[in-house]
Amino acid sequence: MAFTFSPRSFAGDAAVDALVNTGIDRYKRHDYEGARAMFSRAYDADPSQVEIVFNLALAELQSGHPVDAARHLRAYVASPQAQPERVASARSKWLPDAEAEVGRLSIEAPAGTQVSVDGATLGTAPFVDPVYVAPGEHDLRAQTGSEERTMHISAVAGETISVRFLMKDAPPTPPPASPPPASAGSIENPAAVDEAPPPPRGPQPAKVATVLGLGVAAVAAAGVALGFGVGSQTAENHADDLRSSLKSTSACYPGLPSIPAACTQLQSAISAQGRDYKLQLGFYTGAGVLAVAAVATWFLWPRRTAQTSWSVQPAFDARSASAQIVGAF
């Protein structure tokens, strides 16, 4: 990593020079936190030395303070007193490295709106540059006169979130000739003017009734399937007993002079076992279809704002089960 300092580039007093030199020495010894402390003290003592900001930003980046590093690097590249070669390296290397570790907020608010993040004041709108925050949850607050708006956001490292505050007390602005489409991932906090009342909370009664009906039908179909399963197993056990009672199943071949009565009973038991087994599979399949329909209805039911008239109705008979969607869409 190329990181060079020239103490002579600082024209401050001896105390500031000593802090800078100590910071350079600590940085070279990989004591990045110690270097950050020295550069921070030097900058507090003489904020006019913009090169200290560059040194401070790199020490912050290496010591795990990417938010502060991104803010100081952006301030450095915007300074007309910054060295051109360091501005180039900050733009191409260091600022992208810092921004990859932080979340960025693009804040849009009426001019004069005071904005704060997590209780810390950011300043007054408009905000030209993005606001850097640590990845995670944050609370934003905007105030114009007596009007206040709040917003909760979840910042992700390396990504930009667009935040828009619309204030009722703000002076009106003419709408654009061709309003741009809303960008994906943007967050708006509109003023509550002429808004429709929010829909009531909680699931709709028709939704609950439909899902409950499908669930009950699924359980009933599964119960019927279980009953046929028991019947199939009983018939199979009976057929096994009949086979054991016969010395040989060849005695049941058609065309023989006499066929034992057990042969007729065996054929009946085999037929009953096959019939019950097929019905068992059919009702289990129907129960699965109804259960899936119940889950799908719960998640796909239209919201209250969409006025629809439809329902899902279960239907099953002795051989099949199904669900029908009835109504107008």
Side-chain angles (χ1 to χ4, degrees), residues 112-181:
T113 302
Q114 294 182 347
V115 181
S116 62
V117 175
D118 298 330
T121 301
L122 294 178
T124 303
F127 296 93
V128 179
D129 296 327
V131 175
Y132 298 114
V133 294
E137 307 297 318
H138 298 279
D139 292 312
L140 280 67
R141 176 177 173 271
Q143 184 172 3
T144 299
S146 60
E147 184 181 7
E148 179 178 314
R149 292 282 184 272
T150 59
M151 187 183 304
H152 182 81
I153 60 98
S154 181
V156 179
E159 295 187 6
T160 300
I161 298 178
S162 297
V163 180
R164 178 181 298 174
F165 289 102
L166 302 182
M167 315 295 283
K168 291 187 297 184
D169 293 345
T173 56
S178 299

Side-chain angles (χ1 to χ4, degrees), residues 248-260 263:
S248 174
T249 56
S250 61
C252 296
Y253 288 158
L256 294 178
S258 63
I259 298 177
C263 292

Side-chain angles (χ1 to χ4, degrees), residues 149 168 190-197:
R149 292 282 184 272
K168 291 187 297 184
V193 180
D194 298 332
E195 291 184 348

Side-chain angles (χ1 to χ4, degrees), residues 11-312:
D13 56 26
V16 173
D17 291 342
L19 291 171
V20 171
N21 291 334
T22 302
I24 294 173
D25 179 66
R26 291 186 177 183
Y27 190 98
K28 291 179 178 179
R29 290 189 285 109
H30 304 291
D31 180 11
Y32 301 120
E33 189 63 41
R36 184 180 78 93
M38 293 298 102
F39 292 139
S40 179
R41 289 175 57 187
Y43 183 65
D44 290 341
D46 189 357
S48 64
Q49 297 291 347
V50 295
E51 295 305 319
I52 301 179
V53 177
F54 182 82
N55 299 346
L56 175 59
L58 295 194
E60 289 169 337
L61 184 59
Q62 298 298 328
S63 61
H65 302 273
V67 174
D68 294 332
R71 292 171 180 171
H72 285 135
L73 284 168
R74 183 166 289 277
Y76 180 78
V77 299
S79 174
Q81 300 175 348
Q83 296 183 18
E85 63 274 12
R86 287 186 174 176
V87 170
S89 67
R91 286 175 173 168
S92 62
K93 167 64 176 174
W94 304 114
L95 185 56
D97 285 353
E99 289 183 335
E101 299 184 30
V102 302
R104 287 170 290 181
L105 306 181
S106 177
I107 299 178
E108 179 181 349
T113 302
Q114 294 182 347
V115 181
S116 62
V117 175
D118 298 330
T121 301
L122 294 178
T124 303
F127 296 93
V128 179
D129 296 327
V131 175
Y132 298 114
V133 294
E137 307 297 318
H138 298 279
D139 292 312
L140 280 67
R141 176 177 173 271
Q143 184 172 3
T144 299
S146 60
E147 184 181 7
E148 179 178 314
R149 292 282 184 272
T150 59
M151 187 183 304
H152 182 81
I153 60 98
S154 181
V156 179
E159 295 187 6
T160 300
I161 298 178
S162 297
V163 180
R164 178 181 298 174
F165 289 102
L166 302 182
M167 315 295 283
K168 291 187 297 184
D169 293 345
T173 56
S178 299
S183 59
S186 64
I187 298 177
E188 292 191 8
N189 187 355
V193 180
D194 298 332
E195 291 184 348
R201 297 182 179 273
Q204 305 175 49
K207 172 182 175 180
V208 174
T210 301
V211 172
L212 184 60
L214 289 170
V216 170
V219 173
V224 174
L226 182 61
F228 280 115
V230 172
S232 175
Q233 186 62 48
T234 301
E236 184 179 4
N237 293 338
H238 183 50
D240 290 340
D241 293 340
L242 291 172
R243 290 189 186 95
S244 299
S245 67
L246 294 169
K247 295 181 179 180
S248 174
T249 56
S250 61
C252 296
Y253 288 158
L256 294 178
S258 63
I259 298 177
C263 292
T264 303
Q265 297 175 7
L266 175 61
Q267 184 61 38
S268 176
I270 293 174
S271 299
Q273 189 273 334
R275 181 190 67 248
D276 289 350
Y277 179 74
K278 291 180 181 179
L279 289 172
Q280 175 193 14
L281 292 181
F283 274 95
Y284 272 135
T285 301
V289 171
L290 292 169
V292 171
V295 174
T297 300
W298 181 267
F299 288 103
L300 300 180
W301 190 276
R303 296 183 178 181
R304 294 177 183 272
T305 53
Q307 299 297 326
T308 58
S309 176
W310 66 277
S311 63
V312 180

